[in-house]
């Protein structure tokens, strides 16, 4: 059974701080890793994907992947109240559908 | 990315009836999926919609309850049959374009069963 583990939160950070969201996965054959943001009442929106070990940066977002530890994280720098949402981690292998974690609820306090 | 639309956006239905949800994409996509998201929960994959053949269902989901069609590369339907209040959920269409293996989601259909 492929599983993704995320801390459900809520994770509260002050505005301007770095928010760190973490995810572990069970399938060592996983190849692709994704972070989605979901605002309340909306559908998931893709933020980032990462395939290789190391860091990948896109604006205020950095994804970090460590395949040996089966660990992927998302850092949000200079957090804004508009970043308050649920963040979903997901992975797949080749053509398989994405397997999602339960999500971490982030609250950025102004 | 692809532009995905779903109809209806929401509906309130009576127990025992059926509802068909449509998913339309603005470009041809390689794969289409149907997910369910119950209140406060994460996404659960119902099935992979296969063009021209029967859908591939995940454990716990069966064709009689959730029949799926995919007549071409841009359109799919999911029917929720013989509904009960436990079927109240958001149903999401998701597609993969084939350029990468990233998946994009439609806006969802919010279903309430009374």
């Amino acid at each position: 059974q492929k599983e993704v583990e995320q801390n459900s939160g809520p994770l509260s950070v002050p505005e301007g701080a770095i928010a760190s969201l973490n995810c572990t996965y069970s399938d060592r054959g996983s190849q692709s890793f994704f972070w989605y943001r979901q605002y309340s009442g909306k559908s998931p929106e893709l933020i980032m994907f990462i395939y290789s070990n190391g860091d990948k940066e896109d604006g205020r977002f950095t994804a970090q992947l460590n395949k040996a530890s089966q660990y992927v994280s998302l850092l949000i720098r200079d957090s804004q109240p508009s970043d308050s949402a649920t963040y979903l981690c997901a992975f797949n292998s080749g053509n398989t559908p994405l397997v999602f974690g339960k999500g971490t609820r982030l609250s950025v306090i102004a | 990315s692809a532009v995905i639309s779903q109809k209806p956006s929401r509906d309130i239905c009576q127990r025992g009836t059926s509802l068909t949800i449509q998913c339309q994409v603005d470009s041809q996509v390689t794969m289409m999926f149907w997910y369910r998201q119950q209140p406060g929960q994460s996404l659960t994959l119902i099935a992979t919609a296969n063009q021209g053949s029967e859908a591939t269902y995940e454990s716990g989901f069966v064709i009689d309850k959730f029949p799926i069609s995919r007549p071409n590369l841009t359109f799919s339907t999911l029917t929720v049959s013989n509904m009960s209040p436990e079927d109240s959920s958001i149903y999401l269409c998701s597609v993969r374009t084939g350029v990468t293996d990233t998946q994009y989601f439609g806006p969802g259909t919010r279903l309430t069963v009374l």
Side-chain angles (χ1 to χ4, degrees), chain A residues 31-32 34 36 38 40-46 49 51 88 92-103, chain B residues 31 33 35 37 40-45 47-48 58 90 92 94 96 100-108 110:
Chain A
Q31 297 173 330
S32 308
F34 304 85
Y36 288 79
Q38 187 173 25
S40 181
K42 301 294 186 182
S43 65
E45 170 193 11
L46 179 67
F49 57 87
Y51 303 136
L88 300 163
N92 70 358
S93 304
N95 283 330
T96 61
L98 289 180
V99 176
F100 283 86
K102 295 185 184 300
Chain B
M31 302 184 80
F33 308 97
Y35 286 82
Q37 188 172 33
Q41 302 298 312
S42 188
L43 296 140
T44 301
L45 179 66
T48 300
E58 297 299 303
I90 298 173
L92 292 150
S94 180
R96 191 173 295 172
T100 66
D101 56 1
T102 53
Q103 279 182 224
Y104 301 95
F105 285 85
R110 184 180 294 272

